[in-house]
Amino acid sequence: AVVSTQSTGAAENIEFWLAVNEFKKKKLQGDRLTEATRRIYRTFICNQSEKQININDIIRKDIIRKIDQPSVSIFNEAQEQIYILMKTDIYPRFLRDESFLCLTAENS
């Protein structure tokens, strides 16, 4: 199944979604909030990221605009867009992926 998430391009989206959930749970403030925000930005949002997620430019620019004074909700719109992408595109592709189909056929 891990191979399938990588081959369908889902791994970075799932990692981002989970990272934002953890970010919200920590309820960071001040410098720790800014540091965690920048880490998620560098890992998943910026154009040079190897794990860049597929969000629209409006959301990306909004995050960039807020990054110097972030709140815990800074990634909410991006996380919602990734959730919709996973639900409507990535998950259905995962179910049709050859690796997943072979795995389910072996277990039936």
Side-chain angles (χ1 to χ4, degrees):
V2 173
V3 173
S4 293
T5 61
Q6 291 171 346
S7 66
T8 59
E12 65 276 3
N13 293 301
I14 294 168
E15 285 182 49
F16 169 76
W17 197 86
L18 293 171
V20 172
N21 272 358
E22 285 301 310
F23 170 80
K24 289 177 181 179
K25 286 180 188 175
K26 291 180 181 178
K27 299 180 181 175
L28 301 171
Q29 296 179 350
D31 290 343
R32 295 184 74 204
L33 174 64
T34 302
E35 181 182 315
T37 302
R38 290 176 189 266
R39 189 175 321 110
I40 290 173
Y41 172 78
R42 284 190 308 269
T43 304
F44 301 104
I45 308 290
C46 78
N47 290 329
Q48 295 79 23
S49 172
E50 290 181 25
K51 296 182 178 184
Q52 185 179 6
I53 57 170
N54 187 14
I55 57 173
N56 69 44
D57 281 343
I58 294 169
I59 293 173
R60 188 178 312 281
K61 288 176 183 175
D62 190 47
I63 291 169
I64 292 167
R65 187 174 50 79
K66 295 175 181 176
I67 202 157
D68 288 329
Q69 295 183 324
S71 70
V72 177
S73 63
I74 189 169
F75 299 114
N76 282 2
E77 287 184 67
Q79 189 181 35
E80 178 67 21
Q81 189 172 35
I82 292 302
Y83 173 79
I84 292 168
L85 179 66
M86 289 190 301
K87 181 179 176 182
T88 60
D89 181 49
I90 294 169
Y91 183 66
R93 271 194 293 145
F94 172 78
L95 294 177
R96 293 186 305 267
D97 186 83
E98 277 188 48
S99 299
F100 179 74
L101 294 173
C102 288
L103 181 65
T104 56
E106 290 172 8
N107 292 326
S108 354

